[in-house]
Amino acid sequence: MEQTWAMLGISESSVIRTNPEAYFEADQLLVPSLMMNSHYPPWTTDTLRKLLLPHRESTLATPERIYISRNKASTRRLVNEEEVIRSLEKYSIQPIYLEDWTVAQQIQLFASAKVIMGAHGAGLANLAFCQSGTQVIEIVHEQHVVPTYWMISNHNALDYYLMYGQGWPDPAIRFPGFEDIYVDIDRLKQILHLAGLNT
């Protein structure tokens, strides 16, 4: 968050950090709404581009075909990710771990990419910074389809594809949206072929 605040010109000294025991009284309070499963309006994507795109690390050389890994996340990981990555190597699609990138680097990565693939997750919010025509393949749990990244792709005229993965049941997880995902490699190849990607 601190990196984003700096881009927006918000100083650390003006940030109030809360805790369960903290109470604040305000004369005016602006509260953002949560639009996860509802219509995601174009102005949201436009605003992200206007405010943050100028801060990208434009001199950074990044790969044009990328796969966004969730291996370091706690949910929605691909259970057969090693097999997926081996399959993607033939298409020159490189695995990326966004946790290792600064915000400015992530913006540059997505702004320069020609092909982006990954499981549904927060990292794909960076699609807001893509150039029109960028190909996007989003992998979703077959019982948890959220249209957010399809909408962002529409806002930026991206070439969007949706691929269903199979949920990997875990007794400790009661919500399908948090389950890990198994990717059928033959189906993956079909999607890549449909997108016109060649080895």
Side-chain angles (χ1 to χ4, degrees):
M1 287 300 296
E2 289 80 0
Q3 294 176 42
T4 308
W5 293 338
M7 291 178 179
L8 297 175
I10 301 171
S11 66
E12 176 67 28
S13 61
S14 65
V15 175
I16 301 173
R17 298 184 183 275
T18 63
N19 61 68
E21 290 77 38
Y23 294 89
F24 300 94
E25 182 177 330
D27 294 326
Q28 184 179 30
L29 187 63
L30 302 178
V31 181
S33 60
L34 184 63
M35 297 182 286
M36 290 286 292
N37 295 315
S38 62
H39 177 64
Y40 193 77
W43 66 261
T44 53
T45 301
D46 292 340
T47 300
L48 285 173
R49 291 179 68 84
K50 288 174 185 173
L51 293 177
L52 301 180
L53 193 55
H55 298 280
R56 68 180 181 168
E57 196 169 315
S58 57
T59 59
L60 179 68
T62 58
E64 290 188 344
R65 294 184 171 191
I66 60 176
Y67 159 69
I68 306 302
S69 173
R70 288 185 56 82
N71 189 49
K72 296 183 181 182
S74 59
T75 61
R76 284 193 307 279
R77 295 161 297 197
L78 300 190
V79 294
N80 59 331
E81 183 173 73
E82 290 183 10
E83 186 181 10
V84 169
I85 289 174
R86 281 196 304 271
S87 298
L88 295 179
E89 284 175 356
K90 300 172 186 175
Y91 298 84
S92 301
I93 299 176
Q94 300 181 34
I96 298 291
Y97 303 87
L98 291 179
E99 295 88 346
D100 301 331
W101 295 62
T102 66
V103 173
Q105 291 171 338
Q106 290 182 41
I107 295 172
Q108 171 66 10
L109 176 69
F110 278 73
S112 302
K114 301 274 197 288
V115 176
I116 300 167
M117 180 175 192
H120 178 83
L124 292 182
N126 287 298
L127 293 176
F129 308 116
C130 290
Q131 296 185 43
S132 63
T134 301
Q135 291 184 300
V136 177
I137 301 173
E138 181 182 9
I139 303 169
V140 299
H141 187 294
E142 58 195 351
Q143 296 177 20
H144 181 69
V145 182
V146 180
T148 306
Y149 303 120
W150 170 75
M151 290 189 223
I152 293 176
S153 295
N154 283 332
H155 299 164
N156 283 347
L158 309 184
D159 187 16
Y160 177 91
Y161 299 84
L162 180 72
M163 178 184 174
Y164 289 104
Q166 180 182 346
W168 201 256
D170 181 339
I173 298 175
R174 299 184 180 183
F175 176 56
F178 292 149
E179 288 181 351
D180 289 338
I181 301 170
Y182 175 82
V183 171
D184 182 286
I185 298 301
D186 287 335
R187 182 179 293 178
L188 172 63
K189 291 177 181 177
Q190 289 173 3
I191 289 286
L192 293 169
H193 177 73
L194 181 65
L197 298 176
N198 302 312
T199 57

